[in-house]
Amino acid sequence: MRGAANAEDCEARNLAVKRFEDEGDEVLLRFLLQLVQALKFEPYHDSALARFLLCRSLKSKRLGHFLFWHLRSEIAISEHHRARFAVLLEAYLHGCGREMCAELKKQCQVVDNLQLVGNKMQSLLCEQRDIPCDGNSRLQDELRKITLPSNFRMPYDPCVRAGKLKLEKSKVMPSKKKPLWLEFENADPTAARPVKMIFKNGDDLRQDMIILQMFNIMDDLWDAASLDLSLFPYGCLSTGSNMGIIEVVDQATTIASIQKERGAILSALRSGTIKDWLDECCPLPEENIAARMRFLSSLAGYSVATYVLGICDRHNDNIMITENGNVFHIDFGHILGNVKKFMGINRDQHFVLTPDFLNIMGVGVERKTTEYFRKFESLCTDAYRELQKHGGLFVSLFSMMLLAGLPEVTEVDLSYLCESLQPTREGEPEHILEIIKHCKNNNWKVQINFLFHNLVGVGVKPQASTSTSDQQKTSS
Protein backbone atom coordinates (compact mmCIF):
# COMPACT_ATOMS: atom_id res chain seq x y z
CA MET A 1 0.00 0.00 0.00
CA ARG A 2 2.82 2.39 0.85
CA GLY A 3 4.43 1.83 -2.58
CA ALA A 4 1.11 2.51 -4.32
CA ALA A 5 0.66 5.73 -2.33
CA ASN A 6 4.17 6.88 -3.23
CA ALA A 7 3.52 6.13 -6.90
CA GLU A 8 0.30 8.13 -6.82
CA ASP A 9 2.07 11.02 -5.11
CA CYS A 10 4.83 10.97 -7.73
CA GLU A 11 2.28 10.88 -10.55
CA ALA A 12 0.39 13.84 -9.08
CA ARG A 13 3.61 15.86 -8.88
CA ASN A 14 4.50 14.96 -12.47
CA LEU A 15 1.07 16.05 -13.69
CA ALA A 16 1.42 19.36 -11.85
CA VAL A 17 4.73 20.03 -13.59
CA LYS A 18 3.29 19.10 -17.00
CA ARG A 19 0.73 21.87 -16.59
CA PHE A 20 3.62 24.34 -16.87
CA GLU A 21 5.31 22.77 -19.88
CA ASP A 22 3.24 24.68 -22.43
CA GLU A 23 3.66 28.02 -20.65
CA GLY A 24 6.06 30.63 -21.97
CA ASP A 25 9.12 31.94 -20.16
CA GLU A 26 7.33 35.12 -19.04
CA VAL A 27 4.68 33.08 -17.21
CA LEU A 28 7.38 30.99 -15.52
CA LEU A 29 9.22 34.16 -14.51
CA ARG A 30 6.04 35.49 -12.88
CA PHE A 31 5.82 32.40 -10.66
CA LEU A 32 9.49 31.44 -10.34
CA LEU A 33 9.66 32.67 -6.75
CA GLN A 34 6.98 30.15 -5.69
CA LEU A 35 8.29 27.36 -7.91
CA VAL A 36 11.69 27.57 -6.20
CA GLN A 37 9.95 27.44 -2.81
CA ALA A 38 7.95 24.42 -4.02
CA LEU A 39 11.23 22.51 -4.33
CA LYS A 40 11.23 22.35 -0.53
CA PHE A 41 8.10 20.18 -0.64
CA GLU A 42 9.68 17.56 -2.92
CA PRO A 43 10.70 14.30 -1.15
CA TYR A 44 13.98 14.00 -3.14
CA HIS A 45 16.56 16.30 -4.70
CA ASP A 46 15.89 14.70 -8.08
CA SER A 47 12.27 15.56 -8.93
CA ALA A 48 10.15 16.38 -11.96
CA LEU A 49 9.98 20.00 -10.81
CA ALA A 50 13.76 20.29 -10.38
CA ARG A 51 14.40 18.78 -13.82
CA PHE A 52 11.78 21.06 -15.40
CA LEU A 53 13.23 24.23 -13.90
CA LEU A 54 16.78 23.27 -14.88
CA CYS A 55 15.76 22.35 -18.42
CA ARG A 56 13.83 25.57 -19.05
CA SER A 57 16.51 27.73 -17.40
CA LEU A 58 19.23 26.25 -19.59
CA LYS A 59 17.15 27.18 -22.65
CA SER A 60 16.42 30.75 -21.49
CA LYS A 61 19.23 32.96 -20.22
CA ARG A 62 16.77 35.33 -18.54
CA LEU A 63 15.03 32.52 -16.71
CA GLY A 64 18.39 31.00 -15.81
CA HIS A 65 19.61 34.34 -14.48
CA PHE A 66 16.80 34.58 -11.94
CA LEU A 67 16.90 30.87 -11.07
CA PHE A 68 20.58 31.34 -10.21
CA TRP A 69 19.89 34.24 -7.86
CA HIS A 70 16.87 32.60 -6.21
CA LEU A 71 18.90 29.44 -5.56
CA ARG A 72 21.94 31.38 -4.32
CA SER A 73 19.75 33.40 -1.97
CA GLU A 74 18.07 30.27 -0.58
CA ILE A 75 21.44 28.58 -0.01
CA ALA A 76 22.37 31.48 2.26
CA ILE A 77 18.98 31.62 4.01
CA SER A 78 17.42 28.15 4.10
CA GLU A 79 19.34 26.01 6.58
CA HIS A 80 17.20 22.88 6.20
CA HIS A 81 17.15 22.87 2.39
CA ARG A 82 20.62 24.28 1.71
CA ALA A 83 22.03 21.02 0.31
CA ARG A 84 19.17 20.64 -2.18
CA PHE A 85 19.54 24.15 -3.57
CA ALA A 86 23.33 23.76 -3.74
CA VAL A 87 22.98 20.59 -5.83
CA LEU A 88 20.56 22.33 -8.22
CA LEU A 89 22.76 25.40 -8.49
CA GLU A 90 25.79 23.26 -9.31
CA ALA A 91 23.79 21.41 -11.97
CA TYR A 92 22.72 24.70 -13.55
CA LEU A 93 26.26 26.12 -13.60
CA HIS A 94 27.59 22.93 -15.21
CA GLY A 95 25.19 23.34 -18.12
CA CYS A 96 24.72 27.09 -18.64
CA GLY A 97 27.98 27.66 -20.52
CA ARG A 98 31.20 29.62 -19.91
CA GLU A 99 29.78 32.96 -21.03
CA MET A 100 26.85 32.79 -18.62
CA CYS A 101 29.12 31.60 -15.80
CA ALA A 102 31.50 34.49 -16.40
CA GLU A 103 28.63 36.99 -16.33
CA LEU A 104 27.17 35.58 -13.12
CA LYS A 105 30.63 35.55 -11.55
CA LYS A 106 30.95 39.30 -12.19
CA GLN A 107 27.59 39.94 -10.55
CA CYS A 108 28.61 37.88 -7.51
CA GLN A 109 31.83 39.90 -7.34
CA VAL A 110 29.78 43.10 -7.20
CA VAL A 111 27.43 41.78 -4.50
CA ASP A 112 30.19 40.29 -2.33
CA ASN A 113 32.31 43.44 -2.47
CA LEU A 114 29.37 45.71 -1.72
CA GLN A 115 28.53 43.54 1.27
CA LEU A 116 32.03 44.16 2.62
CA VAL A 117 31.59 47.90 2.16
CA GLY A 118 28.12 47.79 3.69
CA ASN A 119 29.42 45.97 6.77
CA LYS A 120 32.20 48.53 7.14
CA MET A 121 29.83 51.50 6.93
CA GLN A 122 27.48 49.94 9.45
CA SER A 123 30.34 49.48 11.90
CA LEU A 124 31.50 53.07 11.36
CA LEU A 125 28.07 54.71 11.57
CA CYS A 126 26.03 52.25 13.64
CA GLU A 127 25.59 54.63 16.58
CA GLN A 128 24.52 57.60 14.45
CA ARG A 129 20.96 58.02 13.21
CA ASP A 130 21.78 60.82 10.77
CA ILE A 131 24.65 60.66 8.34
CA PRO A 132 27.64 62.81 9.46
CA CYS A 133 29.16 65.39 7.13
CA ASP A 134 32.03 63.09 6.23
CA GLY A 135 29.83 60.00 5.87
CA ASN A 136 29.75 59.99 2.08
CA SER A 137 33.47 60.67 1.74
CA ARG A 138 34.17 57.74 4.07
CA LEU A 139 31.96 55.55 1.89
CA GLN A 140 33.84 56.66 -1.22
CA ASP A 141 37.14 55.82 0.49
CA GLU A 142 35.87 52.30 1.19
CA LEU A 143 34.64 51.89 -2.38
CA ARG A 144 38.10 52.78 -3.69
CA LYS A 145 39.50 49.76 -1.83
CA ILE A 146 37.39 47.23 -3.72
CA THR A 147 37.51 46.09 -7.32
CA LEU A 148 34.32 46.08 -9.34
CA PRO A 149 33.94 44.89 -12.94
CA SER A 150 33.71 47.71 -15.48
CA ASN A 151 30.79 46.07 -17.30
CA PHE A 152 28.18 43.80 -15.72
CA ARG A 153 24.47 43.04 -15.82
CA MET A 154 22.31 44.20 -12.92
CA PRO A 155 21.10 41.25 -10.83
CA TYR A 156 17.55 42.66 -10.59
CA ASP A 157 17.33 42.99 -14.40
CA PRO A 158 19.86 41.32 -16.73
CA CYS A 159 18.74 43.64 -19.56
CA VAL A 160 20.39 46.55 -17.73
CA ARG A 161 24.17 46.78 -18.11
CA ALA A 162 26.15 48.89 -15.67
CA GLY A 163 29.56 50.36 -16.33
CA LYS A 164 32.05 52.24 -14.17
CA LEU A 165 30.99 53.26 -10.66
CA LYS A 166 30.53 57.02 -10.19
CA LEU A 167 32.26 57.46 -6.86
CA GLU A 168 31.25 61.10 -6.42
CA LYS A 169 27.55 60.10 -6.64
CA SER A 170 27.78 57.36 -4.02
CA LYS A 171 26.24 58.07 -0.63
CA VAL A 172 25.04 56.46 2.58
CA MET A 173 21.31 56.74 3.12
CA PRO A 174 19.81 57.94 6.42
CA SER A 175 18.29 54.68 7.61
CA LYS A 176 19.03 52.28 10.46
CA LYS A 177 20.87 49.73 8.29
CA LYS A 178 22.80 52.43 6.37
CA PRO A 179 21.94 51.28 2.82
CA LEU A 180 24.22 52.43 0.01
CA TRP A 181 23.03 54.61 -2.86
CA LEU A 182 25.22 53.81 -5.87
CA GLU A 183 25.31 55.20 -9.39
CA PHE A 184 27.02 53.61 -12.38
CA GLU A 185 27.66 54.68 -15.92
CA ASN A 186 25.31 52.99 -18.38
CA ALA A 187 27.23 50.40 -20.40
CA ASP A 188 24.58 50.61 -23.12
CA PRO A 189 25.79 53.32 -25.53
CA THR A 190 22.21 54.01 -26.65
CA ALA A 191 21.01 54.72 -23.09
CA ALA A 192 21.50 58.23 -21.77
CA ARG A 193 20.57 57.75 -18.13
CA PRO A 194 22.98 56.29 -15.57
CA VAL A 195 22.18 53.09 -13.69
CA LYS A 196 21.18 53.75 -10.07
CA MET A 197 20.59 51.23 -7.34
CA ILE A 198 20.35 50.85 -3.58
CA PHE A 199 22.32 48.08 -1.90
CA LYS A 200 20.72 46.98 1.38
CA ASN A 201 22.70 45.01 3.91
CA GLY A 202 20.82 43.80 6.97
CA ASP A 203 17.27 43.61 5.58
CA ASP A 204 15.43 40.61 4.14
CA LEU A 205 14.07 41.77 0.78
CA ARG A 206 12.08 38.62 0.04
CA GLN A 207 8.90 40.14 1.46
CA ASP A 208 9.33 43.15 -0.84
CA MET A 209 9.91 40.74 -3.73
CA ILE A 210 6.61 38.96 -3.03
CA ILE A 211 4.62 42.19 -2.95
CA LEU A 212 6.23 43.49 -6.15
CA GLN A 213 5.49 40.13 -7.76
CA MET A 214 1.84 40.49 -6.74
CA PHE A 215 1.77 43.98 -8.26
CA ASN A 216 3.02 42.52 -11.55
CA ILE A 217 0.39 39.79 -11.49
CA MET A 218 -2.35 42.29 -10.67
CA ASP A 219 -1.18 44.49 -13.51
CA ASP A 220 -1.37 41.50 -15.89
CA LEU A 221 -4.92 40.69 -14.75
CA TRP A 222 -6.04 44.29 -15.10
CA ASP A 223 -4.45 44.61 -18.53
CA ALA A 224 -6.32 41.50 -19.66
CA ALA A 225 -9.54 43.17 -18.47
CA SER A 226 -8.64 46.42 -20.34
CA LEU A 227 -7.96 48.30 -17.11
CA ASP A 228 -4.90 50.57 -17.11
CA LEU A 229 -3.99 51.14 -13.47
CA SER A 230 -0.43 52.32 -14.16
CA LEU A 231 1.32 50.18 -11.56
CA PHE A 232 5.07 50.74 -11.38
CA PRO A 233 6.81 47.65 -9.94
CA TYR A 234 10.53 48.41 -9.73
CA GLY A 235 13.37 45.92 -9.64
CA CYS A 236 14.13 44.25 -6.31
CA LEU A 237 16.18 41.11 -5.64
CA SER A 238 17.36 39.28 -2.56
CA THR A 239 20.99 38.29 -3.20
CA GLY A 240 21.69 36.46 0.05
CA SER A 241 20.91 36.38 3.73
CA ASN A 242 19.50 39.78 4.69
CA MET A 243 20.88 41.64 1.72
CA GLY A 244 19.81 42.63 -1.75
CA ILE A 245 19.55 45.25 -4.46
CA ILE A 246 16.74 47.69 -5.22
CA GLU A 247 16.33 49.56 -8.49
CA VAL A 248 16.09 53.35 -8.28
CA VAL A 249 13.27 54.79 -10.37
CA ASP A 250 14.47 57.85 -12.23
CA GLN A 251 12.64 61.19 -12.16
CA ALA A 252 10.63 60.27 -9.08
CA THR A 253 10.52 61.61 -5.55
CA THR A 254 8.87 60.82 -2.23
CA ILE A 255 5.82 62.79 -1.11
CA ALA A 256 7.79 63.71 2.02
CA SER A 257 10.61 65.27 0.00
CA ILE A 258 8.18 67.44 -1.98
CA GLN A 259 6.48 68.57 1.21
CA LYS A 260 9.74 69.41 2.98
CA GLU A 261 11.06 71.37 0.01
CA ARG A 262 7.89 73.43 -0.27
CA GLY A 263 7.01 74.41 3.24
CA ALA A 264 9.20 72.60 5.72
CA ILE A 265 7.63 70.28 8.28
CA LEU A 266 4.11 71.74 8.40
CA SER A 267 3.63 71.39 4.65
CA ALA A 268 2.10 67.98 5.34
CA LEU A 269 -0.99 69.88 6.54
CA ARG A 270 -1.37 71.84 3.29
CA SER A 271 -3.70 70.58 0.56
CA GLY A 272 -2.04 72.03 -2.54
CA THR A 273 1.63 71.06 -2.25
CA ILE A 274 1.62 68.02 -4.54
CA LYS A 275 -0.69 69.65 -7.09
CA ASP A 276 1.59 72.70 -7.30
CA TRP A 277 4.61 70.41 -7.82
CA LEU A 278 2.84 68.41 -10.51
CA ASP A 279 1.67 71.60 -12.25
CA GLU A 280 5.28 72.77 -12.44
CA CYS A 281 6.46 69.40 -13.80
CA CYS A 282 3.67 69.37 -16.42
CA PRO A 283 2.91 73.02 -17.27
CA LEU A 284 1.33 72.46 -20.70
CA PRO A 285 -2.46 71.91 -20.57
CA GLU A 286 -2.47 68.61 -22.48
CA GLU A 287 0.37 67.04 -20.48
CA ASN A 288 -1.16 68.33 -17.24
CA ILE A 289 -4.47 66.61 -17.98
CA ALA A 290 -2.57 63.42 -18.90
CA ALA A 291 -0.61 63.66 -15.63
CA ARG A 292 -3.82 64.01 -13.61
CA MET A 293 -5.33 60.97 -15.30
CA ARG A 294 -2.15 58.99 -14.71
CA PHE A 295 -2.19 60.13 -11.09
CA LEU A 296 -5.77 59.02 -10.40
CA SER A 297 -5.39 55.71 -12.26
CA SER A 298 -2.17 54.79 -10.44
CA LEU A 299 -3.63 55.98 -7.13
CA ALA A 300 -6.65 53.72 -7.73
CA GLY A 301 -4.42 50.77 -8.63
CA TYR A 302 -2.19 51.09 -5.59
CA SER A 303 -5.13 51.83 -3.28
CA VAL A 304 -6.84 48.56 -4.22
CA ALA A 305 -3.56 46.61 -4.26
CA THR A 306 -2.45 47.82 -0.83
CA TYR A 307 -5.91 47.12 0.61
CA VAL A 308 -6.12 43.59 -0.81
CA LEU A 309 -2.57 42.72 0.30
CA GLY A 310 -2.96 44.42 3.67
CA ILE A 311 0.11 46.63 3.17
CA CYS A 312 0.54 48.81 6.25
CA ASP A 313 2.82 51.59 7.48
CA ARG A 314 1.88 53.83 4.55
CA HIS A 315 3.33 57.29 5.00
CA ASN A 316 4.85 60.07 2.90
CA ASP A 317 8.33 58.54 2.93
CA ASN A 318 7.21 55.35 1.18
CA ILE A 319 4.78 56.80 -1.34
CA MET A 320 6.44 58.24 -4.43
CA ILE A 321 5.37 60.12 -7.53
CA THR A 322 7.08 60.51 -10.91
CA GLU A 323 7.32 63.79 -12.76
CA ASN A 324 4.54 62.68 -15.11
CA GLY A 325 2.12 61.93 -12.26
CA ASN A 326 2.55 58.19 -11.66
CA VAL A 327 2.10 57.32 -7.98
CA PHE A 328 3.78 54.18 -6.63
CA HIS A 329 4.55 52.62 -3.26
CA ILE A 330 7.83 51.34 -1.84
CA ASP A 331 9.08 49.61 1.34
CA PHE A 332 6.81 46.70 2.26
CA GLY A 333 7.89 45.77 5.76
CA HIS A 334 4.34 45.27 7.05
CA ILE A 335 1.86 43.26 4.99
CA LEU A 336 -1.25 41.08 5.28
CA GLY A 337 -2.82 43.36 7.85
CA ASN A 338 0.12 43.47 10.27
CA VAL A 339 -0.62 46.99 11.41
CA LYS A 340 2.11 49.22 12.77
CA LYS A 341 0.85 51.17 15.76
CA PHE A 342 2.05 54.26 17.61
CA MET A 343 1.18 54.43 21.32
CA GLY A 344 -1.45 51.75 20.69
CA ILE A 345 -3.10 53.73 17.89
CA ASN A 346 -3.49 52.34 14.37
CA ARG A 347 -1.90 54.89 12.05
CA ASP A 348 -2.97 53.16 8.83
CA GLN A 349 -6.01 53.55 6.61
CA HIS A 350 -7.00 51.22 3.78
CA PHE A 351 -6.66 53.94 1.14
CA VAL A 352 -4.25 56.88 1.46
CA LEU A 353 -6.50 59.77 0.35
CA THR A 354 -4.91 62.92 1.74
CA PRO A 355 -6.33 66.39 1.01
CA ASP A 356 -3.23 66.77 -1.19
CA PHE A 357 -4.28 63.80 -3.32
CA LEU A 358 -7.94 64.82 -3.41
CA ASN A 359 -6.94 68.31 -4.51
CA ILE A 360 -5.35 66.89 -7.68
CA MET A 361 -8.68 65.22 -8.45
CA GLY A 362 -10.47 68.55 -7.93
CA VAL A 363 -11.94 67.70 -4.54
CA GLY A 364 -11.46 70.77 -2.34
CA VAL A 365 -12.32 71.51 1.27
CA GLU A 366 -16.03 71.48 0.37
CA ARG A 367 -15.52 67.80 -0.63
CA LYS A 368 -17.65 68.03 -3.76
CA THR A 369 -17.49 65.03 -6.09
CA THR A 370 -15.80 65.77 -9.41
CA GLU A 371 -15.51 63.94 -12.72
CA TYR A 372 -11.94 62.96 -11.79
CA PHE A 373 -13.05 61.56 -8.43
CA ARG A 374 -15.93 59.61 -9.98
CA LYS A 375 -13.41 58.10 -12.40
CA PHE A 376 -11.21 57.19 -9.43
CA GLU A 377 -14.13 55.43 -7.69
CA SER A 378 -15.05 53.57 -10.87
CA LEU A 379 -11.49 52.36 -11.41
CA CYS A 380 -11.21 51.17 -7.80
CA THR A 381 -14.48 49.25 -8.08
CA ASP A 382 -13.58 47.58 -11.38
CA ALA A 383 -10.06 46.76 -10.20
CA TYR A 384 -11.33 45.17 -6.99
CA ARG A 385 -13.92 43.06 -8.83
CA GLU A 386 -11.27 41.73 -11.17
CA LEU A 387 -8.99 40.68 -8.30
CA GLN A 388 -11.87 38.92 -6.56
CA LYS A 389 -12.27 36.65 -9.58
CA HIS A 390 -8.70 35.42 -8.98
CA GLY A 391 -8.67 35.36 -5.18
CA GLY A 392 -7.67 31.69 -5.10
CA LEU A 393 -4.55 32.44 -7.13
CA PHE A 394 -3.26 35.00 -4.63
CA VAL A 395 -4.00 32.78 -1.63
CA SER A 396 -2.22 29.86 -3.32
CA LEU A 397 0.86 31.93 -4.15
CA PHE A 398 1.20 33.17 -0.58
CA SER A 399 0.58 29.65 0.72
CA MET A 400 3.55 28.41 -1.29
CA MET A 401 5.74 30.97 0.53
CA LEU A 402 4.96 29.63 4.01
CA LEU A 403 8.25 27.70 4.21
CA ALA A 404 10.23 30.85 3.39
CA GLY A 405 10.23 31.70 7.10
CA LEU A 406 9.01 35.28 6.67
CA PRO A 407 7.54 36.65 9.94
CA GLU A 408 4.50 38.20 8.25
CA VAL A 409 3.70 35.37 5.84
CA THR A 410 2.19 32.71 8.09
CA GLU A 411 -1.00 30.64 8.02
CA VAL A 412 -2.59 33.14 10.40
CA ASP A 413 -1.66 36.04 8.11
CA LEU A 414 -3.31 34.34 5.11
CA SER A 415 -6.68 34.84 6.80
CA TYR A 416 -6.40 38.56 6.02
CA LEU A 417 -6.06 37.81 2.30
CA CYS A 418 -9.03 35.46 2.37
CA GLU A 419 -11.08 38.16 4.07
CA SER A 420 -10.06 41.00 1.75
CA LEU A 421 -10.94 38.96 -1.35
CA GLN A 422 -13.87 36.97 -0.01
CA PRO A 423 -16.06 35.91 -2.95
CA THR A 424 -19.31 36.82 -1.16
CA ARG A 425 -18.49 40.44 -1.94
CA GLU A 426 -18.25 39.86 -5.68
CA GLY A 427 -20.52 42.27 -7.49
CA GLU A 428 -20.89 44.50 -4.43
CA PRO A 429 -19.13 47.78 -5.31
CA GLU A 430 -20.60 49.37 -2.18
CA HIS A 431 -17.88 47.66 -0.13
CA ILE A 432 -15.06 49.55 -1.85
CA LEU A 433 -17.09 52.75 -2.12
CA GLU A 434 -17.69 52.68 1.63
CA ILE A 435 -13.95 52.30 2.24
CA ILE A 436 -13.23 55.25 -0.07
CA LYS A 437 -15.87 57.37 1.67
CA HIS A 438 -14.50 56.52 5.11
CA CYS A 439 -10.89 57.29 4.13
CA LYS A 440 -11.94 60.50 2.39
CA ASN A 441 -13.79 61.74 5.49
CA ASN A 442 -10.98 60.76 7.87
CA ASN A 443 -7.97 61.86 5.84
CA TRP A 444 -6.90 64.27 8.56
CA LYS A 445 -5.50 61.20 10.35
CA VAL A 446 -3.21 60.54 7.38
CA GLN A 447 -2.10 64.17 7.44
CA ILE A 448 -1.11 63.83 11.09
CA ASN A 449 0.78 60.64 10.26
CA PHE A 450 2.62 62.45 7.45
CA LEU A 451 3.41 65.33 9.82
CA PHE A 452 4.79 62.86 12.36
CA HIS A 453 7.16 61.40 9.76
CA ASN A 454 8.28 64.88 8.72
CA LEU A 455 9.09 65.62 12.37
CA VAL A 456 11.02 62.37 12.77
CA GLY A 457 13.07 63.13 9.66
CA VAL A 458 13.73 66.77 10.53
CA GLY A 459 17.48 66.15 10.69
CA VAL A 460 17.63 64.57 7.26
CA LYS A 461 18.24 66.87 4.35
CA PRO A 462 15.72 66.00 1.59
CA GLN A 463 16.89 65.20 -1.90
CA ALA A 464 15.96 67.35 -4.84
CA SER A 465 13.01 66.02 -6.79
CA THR A 466 15.02 65.88 -10.00
CA SER A 467 17.51 63.43 -8.53
CA THR A 468 14.99 60.64 -7.89
CA SER A 469 14.95 61.72 -4.27
CA ASP A 470 15.05 59.00 -1.68
CA GLN A 471 13.26 56.33 -3.62
CA GLN A 472 13.23 53.43 -1.34
CA LYS A 473 14.24 55.79 1.45
CA THR A 474 14.24 52.49 3.24
CA SER A 475 12.56 53.60 6.43
CA SER A 476 13.26 50.92 8.96
Side-chain angles (χ1 to χ4, degrees):
M1 290 295 292
R2 182 178 298 178
N6 288 340
E8 290 176 1
D9 178 72
C10 184
E11 182 62 23
R13 294 174 185 274
N14 291 340
L15 287 173
V17 171
K18 285 182 179 179
R19 292 290 301 272
F20 275 99
E21 288 180 352
D22 294 331
E23 300 291 350
D25 291 340
E26 288 305 314
V27 173
L28 292 182
L29 279 169
R30 279 284 183 266
F31 303 114
L32 187 60
L33 196 60
Q34 281 76 20
L35 291 173
V36 170
Q37 291 297 317
L39 291 167
K40 297 177 180 178
F41 295 91
E42 295 293 333
Y44 306 106
H45 294 349
D46 184 4
S47 64
L49 177 58
R51 287 172 177 262
F52 171 73
L53 290 177
L54 286 172
C55 181
R56 291 294 295 269
S57 296
L58 291 172
K59 292 179 180 178
S60 167
K61 288 187 176 181
R62 184 171 178 81
L63 196 60
H65 169 95
F66 286 106
L67 178 68
F68 169 85
W69 279 110
H70 289 340
L71 292 176
R72 191 176 193 263
S73 177
E74 286 296 329
I75 289 171
I77 296 169
S78 181
E79 180 180 353
H80 297 295
H81 301 90
R82 183 170 294 152
R84 172 165 300 177
F85 290 120
V87 167
L88 294 175
L89 183 60
E90 184 177 3
Y92 172 73
L93 292 174
H94 270 299
C96 68
R98 291 184 179 180
E99 182 182 347
M100 189 68 176
C101 280
E103 183 57 53
L104 292 171
K105 184 178 180 180
K106 287 194 291 185
Q107 294 174 39
C108 291
Q109 180 186 351
V110 172
V111 170
D112 293 343
N113 276 283
L114 291 181
Q115 184 184 21
L116 294 174
V117 174
N119 288 337
K120 182 67 173 179
M121 297 312 299
Q122 286 178 352
S123 65
L124 290 173
L125 306 175
C126 63
E127 301 299 328
Q128 305 178 54
R129 183 188 181 279
D130 297 332
I131 306 302
C133 296
D134 65 341
N136 292 338
S137 62
R138 292 164 80 176
L139 168 63
Q140 292 161 17
D141 288 341
E142 293 301 321
L143 289 171
R144 289 188 183 94
K145 298 176 183 178
I146 63 174
T147 302
L148 298 178
S150 58
N151 189 316
F152 65 96
R153 297 183 186 274
M154 294 302 293
Y156 64 77
D157 185 354
C159 292
V160 178
R161 295 194 72 99
K164 184 180 178 181
L165 176 66
K166 295 185 174 183
L167 276 174
E168 71 282 0
K169 298 288 186 178
S170 304
K171 59 186 178 183
V172 186
M173 300 183 70
S175 183
K176 183 178 180 181
K177 302 296 184 181
K178 304 298 182 289
L180 311 180
W181 173 292
L182 303 168
E183 187 171 322
F184 298 83
E185 295 177 357
N186 200 315
D188 182 356
T190 63
R193 298 190 184 282
V195 178
K196 302 174 185 178
M197 74 173 194
I198 293 170
F199 182 80
K200 296 193 73 174
N201 186 31
D203 285 323
D204 190 344
L205 295 185
R206 290 178 300 162
Q207 191 161 290
D208 290 65
M209 288 173 63
I210 297 170
I211 295 301
L212 291 166
Q213 176 202 27
M214 297 302 153
F215 287 167
N216 274 311
I217 293 171
M218 289 177 177
D219 209 28
D220 290 341
L221 295 173
W222 288 332
D223 283 344
S226 300
L227 290 171
D228 183 9
L229 278 301
S230 302
L231 293 193
F232 210 100
Y234 50 88
C236 175
L237 183 71
S238 170
T239 58
S241 179
N242 291 324
M243 67 173 176
I245 296 175
I246 301 173
E247 176 189 10
V248 171
V249 178
D250 219 356
Q251 293 184 315
T253 188
T254 61
I255 299 300
S257 292
I258 297 174
Q259 291 174 339
K260 291 173 187 177
E261 290 167 4
R262 293 171 171 262
I265 297 169
L266 296 178
S267 62
L269 302 180
R270 289 186 62 234
S271 62
T273 304
I274 307 301
K275 182 179 180 299
D276 292 344
W277 178 85
L278 192 59
D279 288 344
E280 290 179 13
C281 292
C282 304
L284 299 178
E286 288 186 3
E287 67 177 5
N288 192 269
I289 292 173
R292 281 196 184 199
M293 289 302 297
R294 192 175 294 108
F295 173 85
L296 74 87
S297 64
S298 57
L299 182 64
Y302 277 99
S303 295
V304 172
T306 54
Y307 163 65
V308 166
L309 298 174
I311 299 172
C312 302
D313 193 28
R314 297 296 88 195
H315 52 75
N316 48 351
D317 263 331
N318 57 29
I319 302 174
M320 299 193 70
I321 183 170
T322 65
E323 292 178 4
N324 64 358
N326 210 124
V327 175
F328 64 100
H329 287 233
I330 62 173
D331 196 358
F332 309 108
H334 298 279
I335 64 173
L336 297 180
N338 285 279
V339 176
K340 188 174 182 180
K341 296 184 178 182
F342 176 69
M343 297 180 67
I345 301 173
N346 179 6
R347 305 201 316 254
D348 285 298
Q349 293 207 44
H350 292 306
F351 289 17
V352 179
L353 291 176
T354 66
D356 240 346
F357 291 178
L358 293 171
N359 193 306
I360 295 176
M361 292 186 281
V363 180
V365 291
E366 65 279 5
R367 300 180 186 274
K368 292 182 179 179
T369 299
T370 65
E371 181 181 348
Y372 283 114
F373 190 73
R374 283 193 292 271
K375 177 66 173 176
F376 170 78
E377 291 182 309
S378 176
L379 283 173
C380 287
T381 302
D382 292 343
Y384 180 63
R385 280 174 174 166
E386 195 59 34
L387 295 187
Q388 281 185 306
K389 298 176 185 177
H390 304 276
L393 170 64
F394 293 103
V395 173
S396 296
L397 291 175
F398 272 97
S399 297
M400 293 175 72
M401 299 300 299
L402 291 177
L403 284 185
L406 296 170
E408 294 191 2
V409 182
T410 66
E411 290 188 24
V412 174
D413 296 316
L414 291 187
S415 62
Y416 175 91
L417 197 60
C418 296
E419 172 69 19
S420 70
L421 286 169
Q422 59 178 301
T424 55
R425 286 178 178 160
E426 189 170 351
E428 298 179 11
E430 293 79 9
H431 172 62
I432 285 296
L433 294 178
E434 282 299 317
I435 291 177
I436 294 173
K437 181 180 178 181
H438 172 80
C439 295
K440 178 182 174 184
N441 293 336
N442 292 273
N443 55 29
W444 60 271
K445 296 179 181 178
V446 183
Q447 278 187 306
I448 298 300
N449 190 25
F450 283 15
L451 176 63
F452 170 77
H453 278 278
N454 284 352
L455 288 167
V456 169
V458 70
V460 180
K461 182 180 178 181
Q463 301 292 320
S465 61
T466 54
S467 68
T468 47
S469 170
D470 292 323
Q471 175 200 353
Q472 300 97 17
K473 195 164 185 183
T474 56
S475 314
S476 298

